[in-house]
Amino acid sequence: MADGPRPTSASRAKPGPLRVCALYPDLMNIYADRGNLLFLERRCRWRGIGFELTASGLGEQLDGERHELFYIGGGQDRDQRLCAEDLIANKRTGLHGAAERDAVVLGVCGGYQLLGHSYTLGEEEIEGVALLDVRTVRSDERRLIGNVAIEVSLGGDGDLAEPRVLAGFENHGGRTHLGAGQAPLGRVLKGHGNDGSSGTEGARRANTMGTYLHGPLLPKNAWFADWLIARALRIDPGELAPLDDRLEQATHASARRAAGL
Ligand code: GLN
């Protein structure tokens, strides 16, 4: 990502600002989660769209009305425990309210697991906020690690009418199982996905999404970052000023190649 003067079109009306809330950025951040947030910020700034980043940590009540996009990143099991308790106590109501009014909620890896009903480790069951109808069970078998590529169909016009590829890296011990009516985020093309066998990856319900792809998800998939920005701002992705994305396209191509696609 160059620091560039990026917009190739400066004449459009500016939407925004995009107000992002990062949940537990000090605890849930093990795989380039800060980079994902920085990438959102840069893509807004290059277009002259205002961007505000707020952190919400342990013990802080979440106001679901104050942000358009909520982000929760990856974490170690022990940090997930701490955050899960706090999510239930201080943030569940706010997050549900945000999801109901169609704010974007994105959980990556450990964050994804906590958006579901539960994360079970042996005898212990960590309760999640149940925004997604998924349950995760920690497996004693090998971790699911490696480069991964999935096909996602987001719907919409133009470029997004066709299925698109998200490429990234996964590293999780948990196996995530989707409830009967729960749509995945995508279909595994290469890699393991939710549980290594179902062929599904992540989960999506309207603007609430979870995925195991990190490492880092958004810089490797600039089109997806833009889609999230547009959803959060309630505009069509085509309304975002185009940027000079040569570096981002090369990054995406390299992530796909790494996954063997
Ligand atoms: N601790 C969880 C697992 O291993 C999530 C890991 C992560 O966020 N990378 O399944």
Side-chain angles (χ1 to χ4, degrees):
M1 162 167 88
D3 246 359
R6 307 284 298 219
T8 54
S9 156
S11 58
R12 299 168 192 232
K14 303 270 181 284
L18 178 64
R19 297 171 305 170
V20 174
C21 179
L23 302 178
Y24 316 109
D26 51 340
L27 293 168
M28 302 291 283
N29 66 0
I30 54 174
Y31 282 103
D33 295 297
R34 283 183 50 221
N36 283 336
L37 295 168
L38 186 61
F39 195 69
L40 291 173
E41 190 234 341
R42 290 290 162 87
R43 292 187 78 76
C44 286
R45 237 173 2 126
W46 285 331
R47 296 179 165 114
I49 299 173
F51 183 91
E52 292 167 21
L53 178 62
T54 308
S56 184
L58 294 177
E60 290 172 345
Q61 284 288 330
L62 185 77
D63 182 348
E65 302 272 320
R66 292 181 64 95
H67 311 278
E68 287 78 35
L69 193 152
F70 296 81
Y71 180 90
I72 178 164
Q76 310 280 359
D77 289 343
R78 65 169 184 278
D79 293 330
Q80 280 179 263
R81 260 186 210 101
L82 283 175
C83 294
E85 279 171 27
D86 186 77
L87 266 179
I88 302 292
N90 296 318
K91 300 179 176 60
R92 174 164 51 187
T93 310
L95 269 181
H96 275 265
E100 270 158 37
R101 59 175 187 82
D102 257 354
V104 170
V105 182
L106 175 63
V108 174
C109 206
Y112 164 36
Q113 295 170 344
L114 296 185
L115 293 183
H117 294 289
S118 56
Y119 179 32
T120 306
L121 302 107
E123 302 289 293
E124 181 190 10
E125 184 168 289
I126 299 175
E127 189 184 354
V129 290
L131 278 176
L132 295 169
D133 184 13
V134 306
R135 290 176 194 279
T136 302
V137 179
R138 183 76 148 89
S139 167
D140 291 334
E141 290 171 22
R142 72 193 169 101
R143 294 182 72 79
L144 302 179
I145 303 177
N147 292 295
V148 53
I150 67 171
E151 183 181 72
V152 296
S153 302
L154 296 171
D157 305 326
D159 287 359
L160 292 173
E162 299 294 319
R164 302 285 297 258
V165 171
L166 280 178
F169 185 82
E170 61 184 327
N171 180 355
H172 49 110
R175 308 306 199 247
T176 297
H177 307 286
L178 306 183
Q182 175 63 64
L185 177 64
R187 179 174 77 83
V188 175
L189 300 172
K190 297 282 180 181
H192 303 289
N194 278 327
D195 59 2
S197 59
S198 66
T200 66
E201 204 293 314
R204 176 180 173 203
R205 181 184 276 167
N207 281 352
T208 299
M209 278 152 278
T211 178
Y212 276 117
L213 271 64
H214 44 61
L217 172 68
L218 299 183
K220 284 181 177 171
N221 302 280
W223 70 267
F224 187 61
D226 282 354
W227 182 79
L228 293 173
I229 291 169
R231 296 293 284 201
L233 294 178
R234 297 163 192 270
I235 59 172
D236 190 90
E239 290 175 52
L240 289 171
L243 300 173
D244 172 0
D245 271 340
R246 280 171 291 181
L247 280 177
E248 287 77 0
Q249 278 155 12
T251 303
H252 180 71
S254 139
R256 286 171 75 127
R257 273 197 306 278
L261 198 65

